[in-house]
Amino acid sequence: MNDIEIAQQAKMDKITEVAAKIGLDSSQIEQYGDYKAKIKLPVGSQKTKGKLILVTAINPTPAGEGKSTVTVGLGDAFSLLQKKVIIALREPSLGPVMGMKGGATGGGYSQVVPMEDINLHFTGDMHALTTANNTLAALIDNHIYQGNQLHLDQRRVQWKRVLDINDRALRHVVIGIGGVTQGIPREDGFDITVASELMAILCLAKNLADLKRRIGQIVIGYTAEKKPVTVAQLGVTGAISLLLKDALKPNLVQTLAHTPAIVHGGPFANIAHGCNSVLATRTGLELADYTLTEAGFGADLGAEKFLDIKAPVLGKTPDTIVIVATVRALKMHGGRAKSELKTEDLTALRAGYANLQKHVANMKRYGIPVVVAINRFTSDTTAELQQLQELCAQDKTAAVVADVWAKGGAGALELARKVVELSAEEHTFKPLYKADAGIKEKIEQIVTQIYGGTEVVYSPKALRQLKSFAEFGWDRLPVCMAKTQYSLSDNPKALGAPKDFAIHVREFVPKLGAGFIVALTGNVLTMPGLPKVPAANGMDLSDDGTVSGLY
Amino acid sequence: MNDIEIAQQAKMDKITEVAAKIGLDSSQIEQYGDYKAKIKLPVGSQKTKGKLILVTAINPTPAGEGKSTVTVGLGDAFSLLQKKVIIALREPSLGPVMGMKGGATGGGYSQVVPMEDINLHFTGDMHALTTANNTLAALIDNHIYQGNQLHLDQRRVQWKRVLDINDRALRHVVIGIGGVTQGIPREDGFDITVASELMAILCLAKNLADLKRRIGQIVIGYTAEKKPVTVAQLGVTGAISLLLKDALKPNLVQTLAHTPAIVHGGPFANIAHGCNSVLATRTGLELADYTLTEAGFGADLGAEKFLDIKAPVLGKTPDTIVIVATVRALKMHGGRAKSELKTEDLTALRAGYANLQKHVANMKRYGIPVVVAINRFTSDTTAELQQLQELCAQDKTAAVVADVWAKGGAGALELARKVVELSAEEHTFKPLYKADAGIKEKIEQIVTQIYGGTEVVYSPKALRQLKSFAEFGWDRLPVCMAKTQYSLSDNPKALGAPKDFAIHVREFVPKLGAGFIVALTGNVLTMPGLPKVPAANGMDLSDDGTVSGLY
């Protein structure tokens, strides 16, 4: 059976029963059908009590590392151990679902369900973000058209439109053409919704008041004199906020084994900050003894941003970090092609281990206990699994094999016990940089300590921007790196653990509502494209409503 | 109190109780929070038994005619008379909510609730449509980019992108610029979602199979040899259909007086076919003795399309037509300015009556019993109300004053009794045109018999298109007129009942999935713009989530 068939055969608990498991009665949730709900705000005691487990991974390869699958399987293992656990994942984006990557609900017997709903429209959060984003864009262009009282320079509008779709044809567009009554012509572009500042804001806001405050602070563009103009100045903070009031509420679903899962917020980790919402994670910490959460792509992106951007807002750092790796993916990092992965190859594995090794060292650097979860595939040989564990042991890194796709929680019991043990350890969090360090210093720390690079090369434009940021008082904000997910460097082809490389910052995008500055490196795109044969072409809907071809 | 304050003070019944009133148990609905639900398909007996009441109106003026308010008040009056009734309305579009027109949930003590939810994201139907529409657009541009096996001519792509936003700057755009890897440059444009063919399809589909069939038939563009290319040929019928599988389910809410209301589907009547979904109306007809439904704008648009486009698919014509008029609006049709409407003016009222008179005659022409609902405003004088009733009496038209804004259902009891009486009358439906008549003949019937015009002037482009439609076998399809709502003619300034005018058809848009040909007349826009001070600027959200400024 494939993932969707397994998911469709699941016998789910009613969402009211799932809510009851974490102490929420039916008046504290809003049902969306029988198996999905939004959790009303504020939740519970407002006091965080539980342990926080962050699941991250090596750099992804086409072989797949199964981070979500391990997170879900690990959560179910906690349930089997009678621990009160909540899984906190990100929401899938429809762009990759229709394109190539597929959904984001785990796989095999470690999935969150209802899989189809979560991967399609779910409770509408993405759509609310798209709508709020584009309503703001329309209000901006209308402001310019209707007299432009704020003196926005149409060449300096920074606020882009978005869609939750992979659509390369919208990356660069010219709008407002067609004559006098059709708006003011200007260059514009669309990003994917998950890359939007509103998504970051949704994921970082502590409550509705904080959401509104952040939205008011968004810089939509600049005047001809290069002065920033904000949403608050445009006078539409209220309208944009109310479009997001329901999206801010965390979504409750369940795993195949009925473990409660909060799936909320979904920024990509390459072009955005890559973590699910602060409110979702906080809800977990308030209601459960263990909250398992995942950050996007490899630990160089998602985990770094979790620790440096999200944790300060959350007011809590992880008690254990789980780094997911597979023998297959490490062999690719060691130089093998995707077609060669079924053959045992201890040399390639040893070479590729460098990638895992670097991520482990990075996470240990923050002072947090680390365990490697080796996500088992059927093609892994005993010798390979053994060698990988030995390599970890040589580095004094705990490493446990998990078999979650086939066995669900039962395949991750040992991993769960290890995580419980590590989470009880005393440890002291060591931040990567001081909160008040300058932008260049922060980037240098990330590049040298996390990526393993030697220097940062700024484009002339980026350097000019840094000057103006100093003027505006934005020069001490956290930095959100936009970088390829495939490599520790900004070159997607440099697998393993590249050395002696420079990171190229070509442009900054200040996101004052999110509260950070995005640094665009390499050629990373904020709007993906579709492949030659999109996943959409394999999808179908039967006359009775059964979905197929979703994965 | 204003509308939103009245709505916020409402004590709603749980949606399960509302469902129970029309014989649906909790397993037959999907709850969206406590007060909204989707009705699972298929519903009930699949046999229509109830009476169908169509509520329509005179041409709208800035004075407002209150068609939705009358529909809701009339529904509550049926409830007071102990009749089993369902109200079937359209869903509001966020574009006008943020722009100028406001929401579409009625007003005063005749509203459907939860007002804010319905006017904002509701159950996500609009967003599903936007997403499905733009996913198809991305798949089309990707197909061209990836080798264009279907030989689509990029200058002849007919499928436009959409947003549920008023955004004039997106009416005409150039996409795909930026270089070799950014797509293929071409001219494109965005419509508002409610004008999309998918909205029409959602509103006309009888079930999932019919939805899929229609989606497969959509013509997305033409080859260089001018041969049509369909969604089925692109191979993504399944993917687009599954994005709409939930949106196809009718939404259940209630009035302030707890009358069941189905709010589903929302095409505008000027640029689309203007009726709520066939499934919603059918559900009403199956579950209730009386279904009250509304068609958009004046009877020249919404009602004509209801009778000529929707009714044949529904398999049922109305048993009574209610035409809503106000003294204020008729005085505007009689030549007064909006600022002068508080003064009694029997002369202007008499002159403006010509507009109502024409719509009444048009509806009687279909052979259906008609009653005029005079929607009372506080500024109406007794002499004005009396004169209006006398004018109707002279034309042998039933006319009843309703006072629904202030009194809810109690203000429409006499109207409800009249509707019950008329609905019991024997009558024979007389279609406006034969189903197999040609496009030109159909348009001529609409223009001369409904609009009161003398001739139809086709642009050279429209004439060329008619030729090719004949080749493709599309020349017997129903016609959906796109025309200004403000006038019976295609000139929005010609109020009252203009005579001796021509209708100018500048272009056709074939919508093979919807099953009709759209005729664009005059300067009607398929993407509205925002006004100088958008409604958005008056909206706010308090820290506890209370919305204000929505109307």
Side-chain angles (χ1 to χ4, degrees):
Chain A
M1 280 197 296
N2 63 26
D3 290 352
I4 191 171
E5 287 162 354
I6 293 171
Q8 283 170 344
Q9 291 199 353
K11 173 94 184 70
M12 291 180 272
D13 283 346
K14 294 265 176 176
I15 200 64
T16 44
E17 296 168 40
V18 178
K21 276 191 192 175
I22 50 173
L24 296 175
D25 65 37
S26 66
S27 75
Q28 294 174 288
I29 62 171
E30 289 169 7
Q31 288 189 58
Y32 281 64
D34 290 338
Y35 306 109
K36 309 180 294 273
K38 278 197 168 278
I39 300 173
K40 291 181 190 171
L41 298 174
V43 186
S45 60
Q46 303 277 297
K47 277 184 193 145
T48 58
K49 52 171 193 173
K51 296 285 188 187
L52 180 61
I53 319 300
L54 176 65
V55 183
T56 179
I58 59 173
N59 291 100
T61 71
E65 79 284 3
K67 189 171 49 196
S68 301
T69 308
V70 170
T71 308
V72 173
L74 183 56
D76 284 341
F78 270 80
S79 287
L80 287 173
L81 296 176
Q82 310 290 329
K83 304 288 185 191
K84 196 167 171 184
V85 64
I86 289 177
I87 298 167
L89 298 175
R90 286 173 303 151
E91 303 182 47
S93 159
L94 264 170
V97 167
M98 290 291 161
M100 194 158 55
K101 185 177 168 289
T105 48
Y109 290 89
S110 294
Q111 292 188 59
V112 282
V113 281
M115 178 268 209
E116 297 153 25
D117 291 16
I118 299 171
N119 280 325
L120 294 174
H121 307 293
F122 201 22
T123 57
D125 297 343
M126 288 288 172
H127 297 328
L129 286 162
T130 303
T131 304
N133 185 102
N134 295 340
T135 296
L136 177 53
L139 288 163
I140 292 168
D141 277 306
N142 186 60
H143 180 87
I144 298 172
Y145 175 80
Q146 300 280 6
N148 200 9
Q149 266 200 307
L150 293 170
H151 302 292
L152 260 170
D153 184 341
Q154 73 237 35
R155 302 161 307 176
R156 291 188 170 93
V157 173
Q158 179 185 282
W159 191 256
K160 291 170 79 177
R161 287 169 168 85
V162 300
L163 286 177
D164 187 23
I165 291 172
N166 287 9
D167 195 346
R168 76 169 62 70
L170 294 182
R171 283 178 193 152
H172 301 286
V173 300
V174 174
I175 63 169
I177 58 177
V180 173
T181 59
Q182 319 287 354
I184 307 284
R186 66 178 183 87
E187 286 185 54
D188 194 14
F190 284 71
D191 289 338
I192 190 163
T193 301
V194 288
S196 69
E197 182 166 4
L198 286 180
M199 172 57 96
I201 289 174
L202 185 89
C203 287
L204 291 170
K206 294 178 192 176
N207 49 43
L208 279 177
D210 191 31
L211 178 82
K212 245 178 86 172
R213 182 186 63 79
R214 288 171 179 274
I215 288 172
Q217 289 177 351
I218 292 170
V219 172
I220 55 178
Y222 301 84
T223 64
E225 294 74 38
K226 302 186 191 172
K227 298 288 172 229
V229 178
T230 65
V231 169
Q233 287 176 268
L234 194 62
V236 297
T237 308
I240 303 306
S241 301
L242 66 83
L243 286 170
L244 296 175
K245 73 182 172 64
D246 293 316
L248 189 66
K249 300 170 193 164
N251 305 300
L252 183 66
V253 289
Q254 64 191 294
T255 69
L256 291 174
H258 316 305
T259 302
I262 298 175
V263 178
H264 190 224
F268 287 171
N270 53 348
I271 50 183
H273 82 284
C275 305
N276 74 344
S277 78
V278 161
L279 273 168
T281 311
R282 268 197 81 92
T283 302
L285 292 169
E286 286 177 27
L287 299 178
D289 296 328
Y290 293 89
T291 299
L292 309 187
T293 190
E294 176 208 47
F297 293 129
D300 52 329
L301 290 172
E304 183 270 316
K305 293 169 185 178
F306 189 100
L307 298 166
D308 297 331
I309 295 174
K310 177 174 172 175
V313 180
L314 181 63
K316 168 87 182 155
T317 54
D319 296 288
T320 297
I321 294 177
V322 178
I323 303 181
V324 179
T326 63
V327 166
R328 289 160 54 85
L330 289 176
K331 287 195 286 190
M332 283 197 84
H333 276 294
R336 303 312 301 257
K338 195 181 170 188
S339 58
E340 304 168 335
L341 299 179
K342 292 200 172 165
T343 323
E344 182 176 275
D345 189 336
L346 296 171
T347 315
L349 178 60
R350 194 175 302 115
Y353 173 72
N355 186 267
L356 173 59
Q357 191 176 36
K358 176 60 179 152
H359 288 298
V360 169
N362 287 348
M363 295 298 103
K364 287 182 176 171
R365 192 231 146 273
Y366 284 96
I368 299 172
V370 170
V371 57
V372 170
I374 303 169
N375 184 21
R376 182 176 204 156
F377 275 67
T378 46
S379 59
D380 300 349
T381 68
T382 312
E384 286 174 330
L385 290 168
Q386 205 173 336
Q387 176 178 280
L388 182 51
Q389 287 188 287
E390 282 167 15
L391 287 165
C392 290
Q394 283 165 20
D395 287 330
K396 299 196 184 345
T397 304
V400 181
V401 177
D403 192 359
V404 289
W405 197 98
K407 297 186 183 162
L413 286 171
E414 191 190 339
L415 179 63
R417 286 192 197 98
K418 190 71 199 172
V419 171
V420 168
E421 181 195 316
L422 291 174
S423 302
E425 279 183 11
E426 282 289 320
H427 70 273
T428 306
F429 178 72
K430 292 190 285 254
L432 180 65
Y433 51 64
K434 284 194 182 140
D436 64 352
I439 290 172
K440 274 185 151 181
E441 190 185 334
K442 282 171 178 158
I443 295 177
E444 197 189 301
Q445 291 296 318
I446 296 169
V447 168
T448 56
Q449 296 206 43
I450 303 297
Y451 300 169
T454 47
E455 59 166 336
V456 189
V457 179
Y458 296 90
S459 74
K461 178 175 184 176
L463 290 173
R464 277 200 311 274
Q465 288 183 293
L466 283 178
K467 260 196 189 164
S468 63
F469 293 173
E471 267 176 55
F472 303 145
W474 304 343
D475 51 342
R476 313 260 143 193
L477 289 174
V479 175
C480 178
M481 301 295 286
K483 183 183 74 68
T484 176
Q485 66 269 33
Y486 297 114
S487 171
L488 281 154
S489 75
D490 63 6
N491 169 12
K493 304 231 157 91
L495 303 194
K499 294 212 187 325
D500 298 326
F501 61 85
I503 289 285
H504 306 82
V505 176
R506 65 171 205 272
E507 188 180 349
F508 290 104
V509 187
K511 303 214 163 173
L512 276 287
F516 55 61
I517 305 287
V518 175
L520 298 174
T521 76
N523 294 313
V524 68
L525 292 168
T526 48
M527 171 55 100
L530 290 166
K532 190 156 176 103
V533 182
N537 289 61
M539 296 179 185
D540 208 357
L541 178 71
S542 75
D543 293 353
D544 71 353
T546 307
V547 172
S548 58
L550 214 60
Y551 65 97
Chain B
M1 284 197 293
N2 62 26
D3 290 352
I4 191 172
E5 288 162 353
I6 293 171
Q8 284 171 344
Q9 291 199 353
K11 175 93 185 67
M12 290 179 275
D13 282 348
K14 294 266 178 179
I15 200 65
T16 44
E17 296 169 41
V18 178
K21 277 191 192 176
I22 50 174
L24 297 174
D25 66 39
S26 65
S27 75
Q28 293 173 288
I29 62 170
E30 290 170 6
Q31 289 189 57
Y32 281 65
D34 290 337
Y35 306 108
K36 308 180 293 273
K38 277 196 168 281
I39 299 172
K40 292 181 189 169
L41 298 173
V43 186
S45 60
Q46 303 277 297
K47 277 185 195 146
T48 58
K49 51 168 193 173
K51 296 285 187 185
L52 179 60
I53 319 300
L54 175 64
V55 181
T56 181
I58 57 172
N59 290 100
T61 70
E65 78 285 2
K67 190 172 48 200
S68 300
T69 308
V70 169
T71 308
V72 174
L74 182 58
D76 285 341
F78 271 79
S79 288
L80 287 173
L81 296 176
Q82 309 291 327
K83 304 288 184 190
K84 198 166 171 187
V85 64
I86 289 179
I87 299 167
L89 298 174
R90 287 172 303 152
E91 304 184 46
S93 159
L94 265 169
V97 167
M98 291 290 162
M100 195 157 56
K101 183 176 168 291
T105 48
Y109 289 89
S110 294
Q111 293 189 58
V112 283
V113 282
M115 178 267 210
E116 298 154 25
D117 292 16
I118 300 171
N119 279 324
L120 295 174
H121 308 292
F122 200 22
T123 57
D125 296 343
M126 288 287 171
H127 297 329
L129 287 161
T130 303
T131 305
N133 186 100
N134 294 339
T135 296
L136 177 54
L139 289 162
I140 292 168
D141 277 306
N142 186 59
H143 179 87
I144 298 173
Y145 175 80
Q146 301 281 5
N148 200 8
Q149 268 200 305
L150 293 171
H151 303 292
L152 258 170
D153 184 340
Q154 73 238 35
R155 302 161 306 175
R156 291 189 171 92
V157 173
Q158 179 184 282
W159 192 255
K160 292 170 80 177
R161 290 170 167 85
V162 300
L163 287 177
D164 185 23
I165 291 173
N166 288 9
D167 195 345
R168 77 169 63 66
L170 295 181
R171 282 177 194 154
H172 301 286
V173 300
V174 175
I175 63 169
I177 58 176
V180 172
T181 59
Q182 318 289 353
I184 307 284
R186 65 177 182 89
E187 286 184 56
D188 194 14
F190 284 69
D191 288 338
I192 189 162
T193 301
V194 288
S196 69
E197 181 166 5
L198 286 179
M199 171 59 95
I201 288 174
L202 184 90
C203 288
L204 291 170
K206 293 180 195 178
N207 50 43
L208 280 177
D210 191 32
L211 179 82
K212 246 177 87 172
R213 182 186 61 80
R214 289 171 177 271
I215 287 172
Q217 289 178 351
I218 292 171
V219 172
I220 55 178
Y222 301 84
T223 65
E225 295 73 39
K226 304 187 191 171
K227 297 286 172 231
V229 178
T230 64
V231 169
Q233 287 175 270
L234 194 64
V236 296
T237 307
I240 304 305
S241 302
L242 66 82
L243 286 170
L244 296 176
K245 73 181 172 66
D246 293 316
L248 190 65
K249 300 170 193 163
N251 305 299
L252 182 65
V253 289
Q254 64 192 292
T255 68
L256 291 174
H258 317 305
T259 302
I262 298 176
V263 179
H264 190 227
F268 287 171
N270 52 347
I271 51 185
H273 81 283
C275 304
N276 74 342
S277 77
V278 161
L279 273 167
T281 311
R282 268 198 80 92
T283 303
L285 292 170
E286 286 177 26
L287 300 178
D289 297 326
Y290 293 90
T291 299
L292 310 187
T293 191
E294 175 208 49
F297 292 129
D300 53 329
L301 291 171
E304 182 270 317
K305 292 167 185 180
F306 187 100
L307 297 166
D308 297 331
I309 295 174
K310 177 173 170 176
V313 180
L314 180 64
K316 167 88 181 152
T317 54
D319 296 287
T320 297
I321 294 178
V322 178
I323 303 181
V324 179
T326 63
V327 166
R328 287 161 54 84
L330 290 177
K331 287 195 286 188
M332 283 196 84
H333 277 293
R336 304 312 301 255
K338 195 180 171 188
S339 57
E340 304 168 334
L341 299 179
K342 291 199 173 164
T343 323
E344 181 176 278
D345 189 336
L346 297 171
T347 314
L349 178 60
R350 193 173 303 117
Y353 173 72
N355 187 266
L356 173 59
Q357 190 176 35
K358 175 65 177 149
H359 289 297
V360 169
N362 288 347
M363 296 300 102
K364 286 183 177 171
R365 191 232 145 271
Y366 284 95
I368 300 172
V370 171
V371 57
V372 170
I374 304 170
N375 183 20
R376 180 176 204 155
F377 275 68
T378 45
S379 59
D380 299 350
T381 67
T382 312
E384 286 173 329
L385 291 168
Q386 204 172 338
Q387 176 178 282
L388 183 50
Q389 286 186 289
E390 280 166 14
L391 288 165
C392 291
Q394 282 164 21
D395 287 330
K396 299 197 185 349
T397 304
V400 181
V401 177
D403 191 1
V404 289
W405 197 99
K407 296 185 184 164
L413 287 171
E414 190 191 340
L415 179 63
R417 286 193 196 99
K418 189 73 200 172
V419 170
V420 169
E421 179 194 318
L422 291 175
S423 302
E425 281 182 7
E426 282 290 321
H427 71 273
T428 306
F429 178 72
K430 293 189 284 247
L432 180 65
Y433 51 64
K434 281 195 186 142
D436 64 352
I439 290 173
K440 274 187 156 183
E441 189 187 334
K442 283 172 177 156
I443 295 178
E444 196 189 303
Q445 291 296 316
I446 295 170
V447 168
T448 55
Q449 296 208 41
I450 304 295
Y451 301 168
T454 46
E455 61 167 335
V456 189
V457 179
Y458 295 90
S459 74
K461 177 174 184 178
L463 290 173
R464 279 199 309 275
Q465 287 182 294
L466 284 178
K467 260 195 189 165
S468 63
F469 294 173
E471 267 176 55
F472 303 146
W474 303 344
D475 51 342
R476 312 259 144 195
L477 289 173
V479 175
C480 178
M481 301 295 287
K483 181 183 75 69
T484 177
Q485 67 269 33
Y486 297 115
S487 171
L488 281 154
S489 75
D490 63 5
N491 168 14
K493 303 232 160 91
L495 304 192
K499 294 212 187 322
D500 297 325
F501 61 86
I503 289 285
H504 306 82
V505 176
R506 64 173 205 270
E507 189 181 349
F508 290 103
V509 187
K511 304 216 164 173
L512 276 287
F516 55 62
I517 305 286
V518 175
L520 298 174
T521 75
N523 294 311
V524 67
L525 293 166
T526 49
M527 171 57 100
L530 289 166
K532 188 155 180 106
V533 181
N537 288 61
M539 295 178 186
D540 207 357
L541 178 71
S542 75
D543 293 354
D544 72 352
T546 306
V547 171
S548 57
L550 213 62
Y551 65 99

